Amino acid sequence: GCSSGNNAAPAANGGGSTPAPAPAAEASGGEINAKIGVVGFLSGSGAAYGEAQKAGLELALGELNEANKGKLKMELKFEDSGGEKEGAINAVNKLINQDNVVAIIGPTLSGEMFAAGPVANDAEVPIFGISNTSEGINDIGEYVFRNSLPESIAIPTAMKAAVEKKGLKKVALIYASNDDFSVNGYKVMKATAEKMGLEITGEATFSNGDVDFSAQLTKLKQTNPDGLLVSALYKEGSMVVKKARELGITATILGGNGFNNPKVFEIAGPAADGLIVATPFSPEKQDDKVQAFVKAFEAKYNKKPDQFAAQAYDSLYIMSQSLLGAGKAEREELRGQLAQLKDFNGVSGKLSFDEKRNPIGDAVVVVAKDGKFVPFE
Ligand code: 1QQ
């Protein structure tokens, strides 16, 4: 990687501090043309996250370009980060310097955003996370936004429900120590456990890419927890769940945002049953907007949308609203509009923002049952 490229501003900026006009802005006969970059985990161990996001975005794109005819035409330019920080940095640089995008949606992982967000922020290009749930994302800078519900809201909601309904008293924790998202989730789980007065019987770590979790889980089993808290992406997380059951761990298992993808059922199989997770989106929600989205998604892709598709879908509606508000496809005006966003009613729930532009919203708690997530009650 070329690290000097990381701070690259658009060429027109000349290194000065005045924001360059976004070259993506081209009005043709009153219609705003907006090229938006997308950085997704589209290949590798978390590709199902990126695929869900791409599907949600493309569905929204079709609907919006139809609805906005004559006023706004959006175009999406997808880049695959492979779930790697370096990949995300390269993708962001390319989208800004070669494709001249007006804004970027993604990247998928919190760690990727921590690495690539500053590149966009320094270049004064709005970058909008749709699945970054770690603390500190918005602290990167004022060009960084997100609509993804932070784990600091989701995890305590799930843990409260689990403690209430399952009577948990003693919990063990396991997490991927080389992934920013997983580490953040672990910290939230631990702080919440302490706050709730739960006993922590043990802790263990693994790395993304690991396939054998027996040693860690055997050790945790001996501490006899009644709850097992897992902070991981779906691949490793689902293997941990499967192995835990194989080893005879009967504890209630609770996971973070990484489990909100149907791959969990493919990898863990029936061992997923009973897994508790919080999510801002459920395709079962009896709400007209949600059901219209689910129906359109099923018609296009022949499957139900997950949370990642829903948040991606919402993000393009937010972009559309903000671009129309700006009246042109320019980075600075778009940033101003995004910063003003107060309440947004999307398929992944009602969204508002705190003073640091962190999303505030409600999570629903779901439990895995027979190959799908159902309300936990
Ligand atoms: C993050 C996440 C992951 C689960 C996204 C796929 O929430 O990296 O913040």
Side-chain angles (χ1 to χ4, degrees):
C2 166
S3 62
S4 69
N6 296 355
N7 290 321
N13 199 351
S17 58
T18 23
E26 278 155 38
S28 64
E31 193 179 57
I32 306 163
N33 284 298
K35 195 197 276 185
I36 298 168
V38 183
V39 183
F41 194 163
L42 288 163
S43 65
S45 62
Y49 294 130
E51 280 161 18
Q53 294 180 323
K54 187 164 188 260
L57 285 166
E58 284 179 334
L59 176 62
L61 183 70
E63 293 175 1
L64 286 163
N65 279 345
E66 184 60 34
N68 292 331
K69 247 193 192 128
K71 291 186 290 182
L72 168 67
K73 186 169 194 306
M74 293 188 287
E75 183 195 330
L76 296 176
K77 183 86 181 44
F78 288 92
E79 291 291 331
D80 178 12
S81 66
E84 301 287 343
K85 291 185 180 192
E86 198 63 28
I89 289 170
N90 291 340
V92 163
N93 271 319
K94 178 175 177 294
L95 288 168
I96 295 173
N97 299 316
Q98 284 180 39
D99 299 309
N100 288 323
V101 297
V102 67
I104 294 169
I105 293 173
T108 305
L109 300 179
S110 284
E112 296 180 287
M113 183 60 110
F114 286 129
V119 179
N121 195 69
D122 287 353
E124 300 178 334
V125 177
I127 185 160
F128 196 101
I130 53 179
S131 52
N132 311 132
T133 59
S134 290
E135 190 169 341
I137 293 290
N138 298 85
D139 298 337
I140 296 168
E142 58 177 3
Y143 288 82
V144 181
F145 300 87
R146 60 169 159 172
N147 70 338
S148 30
L149 193 68
E151 286 288 54
S152 58
I153 295 178
I155 285 174
T157 307
M159 284 179 65
K160 266 174 210 139
V163 166
E164 246 169 56
K165 286 167 189 147
K166 298 277 179 185
L168 306 186
K169 291 194 170 59
K170 307 181 294 175
V171 295
L173 295 105
I174 182 163
Y175 65 102
S177 59
N178 66 340
D179 172 58
D180 294 275
F181 153 74
S182 303
V183 172
N184 175 79
Y186 151 76
K187 284 182 183 160
V188 175
M189 286 168 174
K190 184 166 179 170
T192 307
E194 282 167 353
K195 225 176 166 171
M196 295 181 80
L198 304 177
E199 181 194 333
I200 293 169
T201 65
E203 294 185 13
T205 63
F206 57 87
S207 291
N208 279 351
D210 284 0
V211 291
D212 184 359
F213 310 91
S214 324
Q216 294 96 319
L217 289 166
T218 301
K219 194 187 98 189
L220 292 181
K221 186 186 178 197
Q222 286 159 3
T223 68
N224 201 25
D226 51 31
L228 179 65
L229 312 180
V230 185
S231 187
L233 298 175
Y234 70 71
K235 183 157 179 261
E236 291 79 15
S238 304
M239 290 193 284
V240 165
V241 168
K242 192 169 183 224
K243 194 72 201 176
R245 294 305 185 217
E246 272 171 29
L247 290 172
I249 293 177
T250 55
T252 296
I253 305 182
L254 185 145
N257 191 52
F259 285 98
N260 284 324
N261 182 277
K263 278 275 172 193
V264 167
F265 302 105
E266 233 175 78
I267 300 169
D273 267 22
L275 170 69
I276 297 168
V277 190
T279 171
F281 172 77
S282 163
E284 320 290 330
K285 189 170 174 186
Q286 286 319 305
D287 171 282
D288 288 350
K289 203 181 184 108
V290 171
Q291 288 313 314
F293 165 62
V294 171
K295 208 172 148 197
F297 193 96
E298 279 184 308
K300 191 168 161 83
Y301 304 109
N302 210 14
K303 61 181 170 191
K304 281 202 195 305
D306 69 4
Q307 170 214 270
F308 296 96
Q311 286 173 325
Y313 179 87
D314 281 346
S315 74
L316 207 64
Y317 272 81
I318 291 172
M319 282 292 172
S320 164
Q321 182 182 310
S322 301
L323 284 162
L324 288 169
K328 51 183 149 185
E330 285 192 1
R331 294 164 177 172
E332 200 51 42
E333 281 79 358
L334 176 57
R335 196 210 75 82
Q337 288 291 318
L338 289 169
Q340 278 173 37
L341 195 71
K342 282 231 160 49
D343 296 292
F344 177 80
N345 199 3
V347 297
S348 58
K350 264 210 179 72
L351 198 70
S352 59
F353 299 85
D354 71 9
E355 68 283 354
K356 276 163 103 188
R357 305 181 315 287
N358 282 307
I360 308 167
D362 288 331
V364 292
V365 184
V366 294
V367 59
K369 190 168 186 285
D370 302 329
K372 65 179 200 155
F373 286 111
V374 298
F376 177 57
E377 47 210 10

